[in-house]
Amino acid sequence: MAVTNKEFEFCGVNHLALVCKDMARTVEFYRDILGMPLTKTIDLPGGRGQHFFFDIGNGDALAFFWFPGAPEAVPGVSAPEALPTKGNFMSAHGSMNHIAINVPAERFDEYYDRLVEKGVEVTKKLNHDDSPAQSSDDLHEGVFVRSVYFFDPDGVCLEFAAWTKVFDDSDVAHDPVRADGTKADGMITRRTPVPAE
């Protein structure tokens, strides 16, 4: 489904900036385990820390700050405390829950095996579909994306995601929920609310 932004010409994500506890350990994980090229390194002026950039493909970058004296992470608040299927995956408002990195669908199984071989703790393969469970152990025609989740050394949740379907209008079919838990009926579906009896 081709969707055009009439307000701004966006060209994808330039970079997403996260904070790490140990830049050397971050380089070892992202460059040496995941193979992301390190494209730019910066020592911040006045001893305020470092800022490193890794290439994640398609002209996009994943960047990390290291700040001396930064507060410790708070799993379950600033990021999920557990991987999907392994515990509480919720995080606080305004937090970054996870980063999904697009991988080719035809190489998904190979990449899953490669993560396991490198000693990365991963979830099972999740084949997301529109079933009540929203995931299947089997790859079938209704699967729209395949996922595997894992943590980096600082507890940042990462996902390798492989799209398996081209979306159409039928894929945008749910009205959003407001902060108080009520649905914004008709906002997406354009239905009028059903009166209560």
Side-chain angles (χ1 to χ4, degrees), residues 173-189 191-194:
H174 301 86
D175 289 322
V177 176
R178 299 185 190 283
D180 65 3
T182 61
K183 275 211 173 181
D185 287 332
M187 186 174 196
I188 301 297
T189 60
R191 294 181 304 208
T192 54
V194 177

Side-chain angles (χ1 to χ4, degrees), residues 117-186:
E117 289 166 8
K118 289 176 175 271
V120 177
E121 181 183 342
V122 297
T123 62
K124 67 179 188 172
K125 296 175 190 174
L126 296 170
N127 298 303
H128 300 281
D129 60 17
D130 290 323
S131 70
Q134 296 187 348
S135 182
S136 170
D137 290 335
D138 302 313
L139 182 58
H140 60 83
E141 190 176 291
V143 171
F144 57 87
V145 67
R146 302 186 76 198
S147 296
V148 57
Y149 297 86
F150 53 99
F151 284 125
D152 87 346
D154 286 300
V156 172
C157 186
L158 302 171
E159 173 189 1
F160 280 1
W163 295 115
T164 57
K165 177 188 183 215
V166 175
F167 294 118
D168 59 33
D169 289 341
S170 70
D171 290 297
V172 181
H174 301 86
D175 289 322
V177 176
R178 299 185 190 283
D180 65 3
T182 61
K183 275 211 173 181
D185 287 332

Side-chain angles (χ1 to χ4, degrees), residues 58-93:
N58 202 38
D60 305 329
L62 186 57
F64 287 87
F65 282 105
W66 171 79
F67 299 119
E72 290 292 321
V74 184
V77 177
S78 56
E81 66 185 68
L83 296 171
T85 74
K86 296 187 176 209
N88 182 8
F89 189 58
M90 185 173 23
S91 58
H93 301 147

Side-chain angles (χ1 to χ4, degrees), residues 6-112:
K6 294 179 174 73
E7 301 296 326
F8 299 96
E9 181 184 352
F10 292 135
C11 303
V13 174
N14 182 286
H15 70 277
L16 178 64
L18 305 171
V19 178
C20 67
K21 183 175 186 174
D22 181 323
M23 190 65 85
R25 184 178 66 177
T26 297
V27 169
E28 288 171 351
F29 183 79
Y30 286 92
R31 185 193 65 189
D32 302 340
I33 293 177
L34 297 185
M36 293 180 184
L38 187 57
T39 57
K40 178 68 177 169
T41 62
I42 301 168
D43 277 335
L44 300 175
R48 293 182 311 183
Q50 293 187 311
H51 196 26
F52 283 24
F53 293 77
F54 299 86
D55 185 329
I56 57 172
N58 202 38
D60 305 329
L62 186 57
F64 287 87
F65 282 105
W66 171 79
F67 299 119
E72 290 292 321
V74 184
V77 177
S78 56
E81 66 185 68
L83 296 171
T85 74
K86 296 187 176 209
N88 182 8
F89 189 58
M90 185 173 23
S91 58
H93 301 147
S95 68
M96 189 209 64
N97 186 269
H98 70 280
I99 303 166
I101 300 168
N102 205 18
V103 299
E106 66 275 8
R107 301 196 72 184
F108 179 82
D109 292 317
E110 171 192 347
Y111 289 177
Y112 182 93

